[in-house]
Amino acid sequence: MKPIVIKSNIFLEHDTKEHPESIQRLISIYKEIKDIEDKLLIFEPKEAKEEDILKIHTLEHLNRVKEASKNQEALDLDTPTSTKSFLVAKYAAGAGLKAIDLIDNRVSNLAFCLIRPPGHHATPNKSMGFCLFNNIAISAKYAQSKGYKKVFIIDFDVHHGNGTQDCFYRDNSIFYFSTHQAFAYPGSGNPDEIGEGKGVGYTFNYPLMPNSTDKELLEAYQDELPKLIENFNPDIILVSAGYDLHESDPLAMLDITYDGIDKMVNIILKLKQNTPKIFFLEGGYDVNALAINVKNTLNSMIKHMN
C-alpha cells in the first residue's frame, strides 16, 4: 500500500502575484517530490459542491468569495483573489473529500492534500489570513457524513487556526488540537480557549513562545497529544500541515529544525496505528524549506506503510 497524494495544476490558477502565498510554493514542492512519485498514489482533486462548503460556511460568505474572485478583489488586507480563485478554492476544499472517498474505498489509509489556497484561518463567515474556505473543516464534516463520527484535528501551523477552532468550538464530536507561536497572527489560541457548551474540553491549545526549539515542540506531541488521542478515540485524524514553524520561515519566529518537524510527523503517524490520517497543506513561506519538509513528510508516510 502507498500513500495518496492529491495534487493538480488547478492550484496554480489562484494567482496572488508576489504575495507570500504564491504559486511558487507548489511549484517548488512538485519539483522536489518528482523522484518519489513512483512510491505515491497520485490523484486529481474533485470540486467541492456548494452544499459541502455550506456545511461549514454561510451562503453570504460563499457568495462574497464568488463575487470577489469575479472582480479580482481582496477579501481582506492579506487575502487577494484572481478570476479563478473561487474555482480553485472549491477544488482545494474538494481535495480532502477526494482523499476521504479513496480511504473509504480502502485505496490507502494515509493521504496528503497538496493544495492552495490554505484554509485554517477561514471562519464560517469570513475569509482571512490567505484562506478562502476552511478546507480541513469542510473535510471533517464530510468524513462524518461517511461514517467517521469522531474526528481529531491536529494543527501544527505556526499560526493558530482560529477558523477551524471557531467551526467546532461547541462540538464534542470534533476535537481541535493546535501548537502554534504565541502572540503571533491572528492573536487567538490561548490555553484557556477550551471550547463552549458541549464542546468544553474538545479544544486544546499549546502556544509556543517565540524562539522555541524542537524540544519544546516535541514535548507537546510526546506528552500531551497521545493522551488526548487515547481519551477521544477518533475514527479519523486530519492534520493542518503548516510548515511555517520551520526556523527559516520569514513569517514566523520559531527555531524548529527539519529533524524536529520530521520527529513530530512520525509521532502523528504512529498515533492509533490503523486510523486513517489526511494531511492538508497550510502555511510555509520559505519555498525551498517548504518543499524539503513536505518531501520528508511523504518519505515518512512511505516508510510508515512498509
Side-chain angles (χ1 to χ4, degrees):
M1 206 178 269
K2 301 177 181 179
I4 293 162
V5 168
I6 310 292
K7 70 186 280 281
S8 175
N9 286 334
I10 188 70
F11 300 125
L12 307 180
E13 300 289 327
H14 173 53
D15 184 7
T16 55
K17 305 291 192 291
E18 301 304 313
H19 193 277
E21 202 293 286
S22 73
I23 63 171
Q24 293 305 320
R25 300 176 66 235
L26 284 188
I27 290 169
S28 182
I29 293 170
Y30 292 173
K31 187 177 175 185
E32 185 70 28
I33 68 170
K34 202 105 188 105
D35 65 333
I36 61 166
E37 285 188 348
D38 61 323
K39 298 172 183 173
L40 305 167
L41 299 171
I42 297 175
F43 293 88
E44 288 279 327
K46 70 179 186 179
E47 181 181 345
K49 296 174 183 172
E50 293 194 359
E51 66 197 59
D52 295 316
I53 295 168
L54 293 173
K55 297 269 174 60
I56 289 295
H57 296 289
T58 63
L59 180 60
E60 292 77 14
H61 174 72
L62 186 143
N63 288 333
R64 199 178 305 123
V65 175
K66 190 187 292 187
E67 283 302 306
S69 178
K70 192 162 75 176
N71 299 315
Q72 301 182 68
E73 295 170 349
L75 285 153
D76 76 354
L77 288 172
D78 296 318
T79 314
T81 69
S82 60
T83 51
K84 293 278 188 72
S85 294
F86 178 63
L87 176 65
V88 178
K90 287 196 287 181
Y91 275 101
L97 313 190
K98 176 74 171 185
I100 290 163
D101 289 344
L102 291 165
I103 284 169
D104 207 37
N105 288 322
R106 304 189 185 283
V107 173
S108 181
N109 69 348
L110 286 181
F112 201 130
C113 299
L114 293 178
I115 53 177
R116 58 180 293 276
H120 74 152
H121 293 309
T123 72
N125 59 9
K126 187 179 180 186
S127 295
M128 59 184 286
F130 316 165
C131 304
L132 304 189
F133 298 132
N134 197 309
N135 308 312
I136 200 167
I138 291 164
S139 288
K141 280 292 189 186
Y142 185 77
Q144 289 187 319
S145 77
K146 291 285 187 175
Y148 301 94
K149 295 303 182 190
K150 297 176 78 177
V151 182
F152 198 106
I153 297 175
I154 299 166
D155 188 337
F156 62 73
D157 192 283
V158 80
H159 303 106
H160 180 245
N162 61 299
T164 310
Q165 177 172 293
D166 286 359
C167 290
F168 305 123
Y169 208 53
R170 292 177 165 270
D171 194 332
N172 63 358
S173 67
I174 298 176
F175 198 112
Y176 179 66
F177 171 92
S178 176
T179 53
H180 48 273
Q181 183 184 314
F183 315 119
Y185 180 90
S188 53
N190 295 319
D192 62 357
E193 295 169 25
I194 60 168
E196 288 178 354
K198 67 178 184 179
V200 169
Y202 293 88
T203 295
F204 189 99
N205 286 299
Y206 196 106
L208 298 160
M209 294 304 290
N211 306 119
S212 289
T213 65
D214 295 355
K215 180 178 178 292
E216 287 80 34
L217 175 76
L218 294 173
E219 281 171 1
Y221 287 87
Q222 289 165 339
D223 301 342
E224 301 293 346
L225 183 58
K227 292 183 289 188
L228 297 171
I229 290 279
E230 186 178 354
N231 290 336
F232 186 69
N233 194 27
D235 301 311
I236 192 168
I237 295 170
L238 308 181
V239 183
S240 273
Y243 294 94
D244 40 8
L245 77 167
H246 188 260
E247 60 190 349
S248 70
D249 202 273
L251 301 188
M253 294 174 62
L254 294 184
D255 293 326
I256 311 299
T257 66
Y258 290 118
D259 184 58
I261 292 171
D262 200 41
K263 282 177 176 165
M264 172 193 67
V265 165
N266 275 282
I267 290 168
I268 292 169
L269 292 175
K270 287 171 185 167
L271 293 166
K272 238 196 137 203
Q273 284 282 4
N274 297 318
T275 304
K277 298 173 184 75
I278 305 173
F279 285 56
F280 296 74
L281 186 64
E282 299 281 2
Y285 305 103
D286 176 323
V287 297
N288 295 320
L290 170 64
I292 291 166
N293 276 309
V294 169
K295 186 177 187 179
N296 288 346
T297 293
L298 290 173
N299 275 324
S300 290
M301 285 182 167
I302 292 162
K303 285 176 194 162
H304 187 76
M305 301 200 84
N306 291 332

